[in-house]
Amino acid sequence: MKHLIDIKALSAEKITALFAQAQQFNQTPIKETRKLHQGRSAIALFFENSTRTLTSFQLACQRLGIDITALNIEHSSTQKGETLCDTLLTLNAMQTDLFIVRHQQNNIQQEMSSWLNNETSIINAGDGTNQHPTQGLLDLYTIWQYKQDFSTLKVAIIGDIKHSRVANSLMDGLNTMNVGEISLFAPDELIPSKTKHLKASDMNTCVKDADVVVMLRIQKERLPEDLNVDFAQWHEHYGLTNERLKLAKPEAIVMHPGPMNRGIEISDEVADGSQSVIWQQVRNGVLMRQALIHKILS
Ligand code: CP
């Protein structure tokens, strides 16, 4: 594997092998894993804000012995008019092994890989509304840890699905893993018009008998200005509360990619409740990114 730009490039076998590698890293002391890629270097180029993805990539690289630098975009020469292509080629001339890129433009990492003549690896850390493949992988890994067999699962996804690259990568990954059923719920304006998955008529139907409930935040930074959605009423109509969660299977897990808007898409009691695996997702983010980088650089 040279790059990871879209989760659809990964077969079920490759995803399962990444689960196994992540499990192995979880059981291996960091002083051992630090020897694996000593002398390699990575650069993180984040043109959009991040807490989880950037930090977990930095920790994943450090735990593999890779020197990682995060370019501060605000203080970089992109502010003086340097093009993205020249920025990339400049950093590549410093003999980088891996670029980790988050950008607001859909599909930009594919174009960037062609500027590098496919010499240096690129991992997509999120492109516009399109893909967030490492989030998809860590979400699949978390589901697998709790449920093992994807084919029997009902996964409910609720929130701003239309603008969510997290939802796209998760749905693509779940399809690859042959998931039983995906049920979607959002206002009509925030659900993709073309989807092969079931659009539930209301939230209770979506959550009913689910094995996994995935809550998404409203992607306010990507919404058209003229959107006619009453956000003040969001929690009432689209928020996950303990009462609604009771409709899911008793052993259902609750997921959220973060950042959470507590009291809007998810109540405190659910976010901090016994069925929430949100912090486990964050922990798995480091392990899964370690597994992926190890695969790409090996
Ligand atoms: N889930 C996610 O991508 O979070 P960050 O934006 O904090 O990286």
Side-chain angles (χ1 to χ4, degrees):
M1 194 192 312
K2 182 77 187 172
H3 310 291
L4 181 63
I5 291 174
D6 191 316
I7 200 170
K8 292 191 284 299
L10 299 178
S11 63
E13 291 70 29
K14 282 189 175 148
I15 292 172
T16 308
L18 288 170
F19 294 166
Q21 184 64 70
Q23 293 283 91
Q24 197 183 320
F25 280 143
N26 192 32
Q27 290 155 9
T28 311
I30 291 173
K31 67 174 195 270
E32 294 291 322
T33 60
R34 279 212 185 107
K35 295 174 191 159
L36 287 170
H37 295 282
Q38 272 176 356
R40 314 296 286 275
S41 59
I43 296 181
L45 282 170
F46 275 55
F47 291 85
E48 286 187 338
N49 294 346
S50 172
T51 296
R52 279 145 289 269
T53 312
L54 176 59
T55 311
S56 61
F57 267 117
Q58 288 173 313
L59 287 173
C61 282
Q62 287 161 9
R63 289 175 191 181
L64 292 169
I66 299 164
D67 293 322
I68 179 160
T69 302
L71 184 71
N72 185 329
I73 301 296
E74 291 294 307
H75 292 105
S76 74
S77 291
T78 58
Q79 309 298 328
K80 302 176 199 165
E82 190 161 50
T83 64
L84 180 59
C85 183
D86 282 340
T87 301
L88 189 71
L89 295 179
T90 300
L91 299 171
N92 195 47
M94 299 178 192
Q95 297 186 304
T96 311
D97 296 291
L98 172 66
F99 288 103
I100 299 157
V101 182
R102 171 171 285 192
H103 201 281
Q104 57 277 15
Q105 187 179 323
N106 286 14
N107 300 308
I108 193 71
Q109 290 87 349
Q110 189 65 51
E111 207 175 330
M112 291 169 86
S113 70
S114 71
W115 299 337
L116 294 169
N117 296 322
N118 274 321
E119 272 173 23
T120 310
S121 293
I122 295 190
I123 296 177
N124 179 1
D127 61 315
T129 57
N130 184 39
Q131 280 280 315
H132 192 348
T134 59
Q135 179 72 44
L137 285 172
L138 77 88
D139 289 343
L140 292 176
Y141 177 46
T142 307
I143 295 171
W144 175 80
Q145 281 182 328
Y146 288 90
K147 303 292 174 190
Q148 298 283 312
D149 181 7
F150 286 86
S151 69
T152 59
L153 298 182
K154 173 179 174 180
V155 180
I157 304 178
I158 299 151
D160 179 5
I161 299 162
K162 186 173 182 175
H163 301 99
S164 175
R165 55 196 179 202
V166 171
N168 287 340
S169 289
L170 178 58
M171 289 189 287
D172 290 339
L174 287 168
N175 284 337
T176 302
M177 301 309 285
N178 194 28
V179 73
E181 178 187 344
I182 298 176
S183 179
L184 308 176
F185 185 59
D188 287 344
E189 296 84 351
L190 297 181
I191 207 158
S193 48
K194 284 185 195 162
T195 173
K196 62 180 183 180
H197 302 299
L198 210 70
K199 292 186 198 178
S201 53
D202 56 68
M203 179 134 178
N204 288 357
T205 311
C206 189
V207 173
K208 191 165 170 36
D209 296 327
D211 301 278
V212 179
V213 183
V214 181
M215 300 308 298
L216 300 171
R217 75 179 173 94
I218 307 159
Q219 308 263 316
K220 284 197 171 151
E221 68 275 28
R222 304 192 203 283
L223 300 183
E225 278 177 14
D226 58 349
L227 191 75
N228 186 22
V229 173
D230 185 358
F231 293 115
Q233 303 294 315
W234 189 272
H235 189 62
E236 190 183 324
H237 297 299
Y238 307 100
L240 189 62
T241 57
N242 263 347
E243 198 183 349
R244 282 187 169 136
L245 183 56
K246 283 187 191 136
L247 296 166
K249 290 198 181 140
E251 67 283 8
I253 57 171
V254 175
M255 301 175 66
H256 193 306
M260 284 187 275
N261 292 128
R262 287 169 179 260
I264 300 178
E265 72 269 13
I266 192 165
S267 68
D268 282 331
E269 58 189 6
V270 174
D272 301 325
S274 60
Q275 288 171 268
S276 167
V277 299
I278 293 167
W279 306 128
Q280 183 68 11
Q281 286 175 267
V282 177
R283 180 181 162 77
N284 285 341
V286 180
L287 292 166
M288 180 46 79
R289 290 177 174 119
Q290 257 184 280
L292 176 70
I293 294 166
H294 178 58
K295 176 76 187 160
I296 283 177
L297 293 186
S298 290

